[in-house]
Amino acid sequence: MTIAFVFPGQGAQTIGMGKALAEAYPAAKAVFDEVDAALGEALSQLIWEGDIETLTLTQNAQPALMATSLAAMRALEAGGHSIDKAAFVAGHSLGEYSALAAAGAISVADTARLLRTRGQAMQSAVPVGEGAMAAILGLDLEAVRAVAEEAAQGEVCQAANDNDPTQVVVSGAKAAVERAAEIAKEKGAKRAVMLPVSAPFHCALMQPAADVMAEALAGVAITSPAVPLIANVRADAVTDPDEIRKLLVEQVTGSVRWRESVQSMAAKGVTEFWEIGAGKALSGMIRKIDRNLTSRQVGTAEDVTAITAG
């Protein structure tokens, strides 16, 4: 059995996530303390006792989800399962930062600050209400690319997330994305769902955020990860720090090639995926990508206990 550790992206956040881990494992609590110190605020209090609307703000959700993933990783390590148990790491969008922190390529403190900057930059890149995203269900990537091209009409409209064979997300100018949703249904999509997001992520409209992240990443130490990263925009393994830095910038405007990333790991021998952190969205996608692959969630103290006991 060859294992990959994968890390969730935005949308997985819930109030209370990681609290039981922090109570059960001092190493997990230390992650939340380190993130709080890096940001100069009690983000952990918001995660555990705040309101979901504030937690869901991009600038909060991104470091919060990373903190929860790293807390789960530290709990796993305390139970004897180090990062070396994985052949690869990968993450969905912001989860790529969690993966790199878990693999020791970027410090937890630097990752928290980068994700706060990333969240603020992505939020401010496009005025609220001018961008949108929609999930197209039941059409494959090539079909959705054709839909996006037809819908653009001079505006930005791109396939942003290739999640699994049944779901591709489009992103861009609000009117263009709305047109894409209607065209997709005409082309046979089962559903086209406008997503409750505050900005059009992973499209050309995010270029101002990419510029901010290029500057932010230039000032951060990145080392080779302990295990290779399967990068979002490449869907293949990378270990070189300079290449990782470059791909993290490209990721802001580039497509999240999650389906291909999972297929790439499977082709390299991975048979089991551990979803480290909040939720189980990635596990659901993985099942749709390849029914022969297995997955398990590692996001609660009970999950960690089950693994370390077994």
Side-chain angles (χ1 to χ4, degrees):
M1 178 178 67
T2 302
I3 297 169
F5 289 173
V6 295
F7 297 81
Q10 207 160 330
Q13 64 274 1
T14 58
I15 296 297
M17 63 183 184
K19 187 175 184 181
L21 281 169
E23 292 169 347
Y25 296 92
K29 173 68 162 57
V31 171
F32 288 104
D33 291 344
E34 188 173 358
V35 170
D36 286 353
L39 298 179
E41 65 184 67
L43 183 66
S44 58
Q45 187 174 348
L46 170 62
I47 298 169
W48 297 336
E49 301 168 6
D51 64 273
I52 190 64
E53 289 81 9
T54 306
L55 179 61
T56 297
L57 292 174
T58 301
Q59 66 188 48
N60 293 328
Q62 295 199 16
L65 284 161
M66 182 278 296
T68 303
S69 286
L70 266 290
M73 190 68 235
R74 296 291 179 262
L76 266 183
E77 290 169 349
H81 296 277
S82 70
I83 192 71
D84 296 336
K85 189 176 184 72
F88 301 97
V89 293
H92 193 285
S93 191
L94 84 89
E96 191 156 88
Y97 286 79
S98 305
L100 288 164
I106 310 176
S107 73
V108 171
D110 280 342
T111 306
R113 288 187 287 262
L114 283 170
L115 285 173
R116 169 56 56 82
T117 299
R118 183 178 183 267
Q120 291 171 333
M122 292 173 87
Q123 182 62 65
S124 61
V126 179
V128 174
E130 291 190 11
M133 300 180 77
I136 310 300
L137 308 180
L139 294 180
D140 64 17
L141 177 62
E142 290 310 313
V144 173
R145 280 177 172 162
V147 166
E149 186 175 348
E150 183 179 341
Q153 296 179 22
E155 296 183 296
V156 171
C157 188
Q158 295 172 232
N161 300 350
D162 179 17
N163 286 333
D164 64 48
T166 69
Q167 183 191 119
V168 181
V169 175
V170 294
S171 180
K174 186 170 185 286
V177 171
E178 289 172 343
R179 286 193 295 270
E182 291 307 311
I183 293 168
K185 286 185 277 191
E186 293 167 6
K187 302 280 188 184
K190 292 178 182 176
R191 291 173 66 201
V193 183
M194 299 298 292
L195 299 180
V197 295
S198 53
F201 306 132
H202 298 292
C203 76
L205 294 176
M206 286 287 110
Q207 187 57 49
D211 295 340
V212 169
M213 290 312 297
E215 184 175 347
L217 284 158
V220 169
I222 300 178
T223 59
S224 295
V227 296
L229 171 78
I230 302 296
N232 279 189
V233 296
R234 183 174 291 175
D236 205 356
V238 59
T239 56
D240 178 71
D242 290 336
E243 192 69 11
I244 288 170
R245 199 186 311 270
K246 172 174 167 284
L247 294 175
L248 286 174
V249 175
E250 290 180 14
Q251 187 224 60
V252 179
T253 56
S255 297
V256 176
R257 296 168 61 185
W258 187 251
R259 176 183 58 84
E260 293 174 273
S261 294
V262 171
Q263 290 172 335
S264 175
M265 285 182 274
K268 298 177 196 303
V270 172
T271 55
E272 183 169 327
F273 292 79
W274 290 14
E275 184 169 3
I276 313 291
K280 52 186 179 182
L282 299 184
S283 297
M285 294 175 194
I286 289 164
R287 279 193 298 273
K288 290 176 181 174
I289 293 166
D290 187 339
R291 292 286 180 183
N292 295 315
L293 302 173
T294 60
S295 59
R296 66 190 305 172
Q297 287 78 50
V298 188
T300 67
E302 290 80 7
D303 293 337
V304 175
T305 299
I307 288 172
T308 54

